[in-house]
Amino acid sequence: MEELTDEVLLQLIHLGNESALGALYDRHGKAAYSLAYRMLGDVHAAEDAVQEAFVNVWRRAGSFRNARGTARTWVMAVVHHRSIDIGRKRRGIAPRELPLDLTLLPADSHDTWSEVSNTLDRALLKECLEQIPLEQREVIELAYFQGHTQREIAELKGIPLGTVKGRVRIGLQKLRGLVLELGLGGSTDEP
Amino acid sequence: MSHDELKGLAEGYALSALDADELKQFEAHLDACQECLASVAELRLPVDALSMMNDEAEPAGNLRERILASARAEPRNQEQPVKSAPWWLRPVLRPIPVAAVFAGLVAVIMVVAVWGSQADGDLSSVQRRLSLTYDGIEIMAQAEQWWRFDGSGITSGAAGTLAYSEEIGAACLLVWGLAEADHFNYQVRLTEADGAVTVRKMWRYDDAMWLILDGDPNLLQKLEIMLFNGETSPDSETPPLPVLIDIPLTAS
Ligand SMILES: [Zn+2]
């Protein structure tokens, strides 16, 4: 099944093909687990998050309707959400409302990104984040990896919500520019 | 909430860091605002990068088996309803040519037939054909443009259709009514506007064959079907094969 794209695998999964689910796990399980482990810091919790996420993919593969090159993003988003849920439960924080239908998210405008991103060195990606000023990086990490809402971050840090949003916005813009430069040879033109 | 305030929710949305009420408002707004939709699309790149920049950790070896076991225990076909109509309902919601319905039926029959043949075929090749067929149905269900053509260049009574879905960005080429016993394979030669030529082998099943073509067929200069010469390289040494069907690319 190595020659099949993620999108085709999702269609086979929707038809109830277990080997396709296995192939999707072989392709993205490690990255998914690495994300869950970073977010949860615990082997068992991370495994639970990945397991729940892939079962979710199994259940909902038929609702995935996006253009090619986005299945990986979808899988990682499901893992991210399961990790937020599990992390909040473990820390005794109230569960959160998360975007329901991930498939409604529009496709990435950079078609080549999904191909390039698979081969990018994670250390180099990490360096991109480290190049962002600390106060912007901090709010992004609290939101994405710790699963806090922007409002919770404002309370946690004792800063206005508007400031949190501003830092997140500028930080993500910078990160986008840096990653594009890294992956696409310095071109930031829209295709 | 003003539009500026709504726009300011895009980053929180992309990071899944909105409160419940913000999320509700922003999702409702996204349904109607192309500008915010575009911002969210742009933000997928840095968010995707965040998901991929973690130190590599190795999951337990049995996690794969655990996942497959719990998937196996899941009841099938109890999917949550999706917002848009399922593909098999869409064709009846708007008028489409009879050819479309017919072609769709042929493809459905092929799916069933391909499933049925799993026992004797190479499994991965069967699955690949199956998934291609599934893609083909999806394209035909959503196609906005149809071409019909006569297939008598191959055998009398054969006919074909080309369906193009702009939304999917691909076309499905389908020919049916072939002589079941001939066991021939066919290929498609695509000539781009700039003269570049690509050759693709068609998927054959019983009396039908099909192929998924990426991109808009309107941009092609020529689309021809001929016998498969065993080569998928247009510059092979094999002498050129006679064209059996020259598909007219003027939309009908
Ligand atoms: Zn807007």
Side-chain angles (χ1 to χ4, degrees), chain B residues 3 6-7 26 29 33-37:
Chain B
H3 190 246
L6 282 165
K7 254 185 0 197
F26 191 69
H29 176 67
C33 180
Q34 287 303 314
E35 188 189 338
C36 289
L37 211 57

Side-chain angles (χ1 to χ4, degrees), chain B residues 40-60:
Chain B
V40 173
E42 274 199 15
L43 288 163
R44 280 183 77 153
L45 193 144
V47 173
D48 195 33
L50 285 170
S51 79
M52 299 301 289
M53 59 174 64
N54 309 295
D55 294 331
E56 208 161 84
E58 195 70 52

Side-chain angles (χ1 to χ4, degrees), chain A residues 36-87:
Chain A
Y37 185 74
R38 165 151 188 193
M39 290 178 70
L40 297 164
D42 175 275
V43 171
H44 297 293
E47 287 179 359
D48 286 349
V50 173
Q51 178 169 346
E52 285 182 29
F54 274 89
V55 173
N56 207 304
V57 166
W58 172 256
R59 245 180 248 150
R60 301 193 50 228
S63 65
F64 180 84
R65 290 256 175 268
N66 268 346
R68 77 196 170 87
T70 57
R72 202 270 317 277
T73 313
W74 186 60
V75 171
M76 293 304 280
V78 177
V79 173
H80 183 232
H81 285 180
R82 293 312 302 142
S83 301
I84 291 178
D85 282 345
I86 291 175

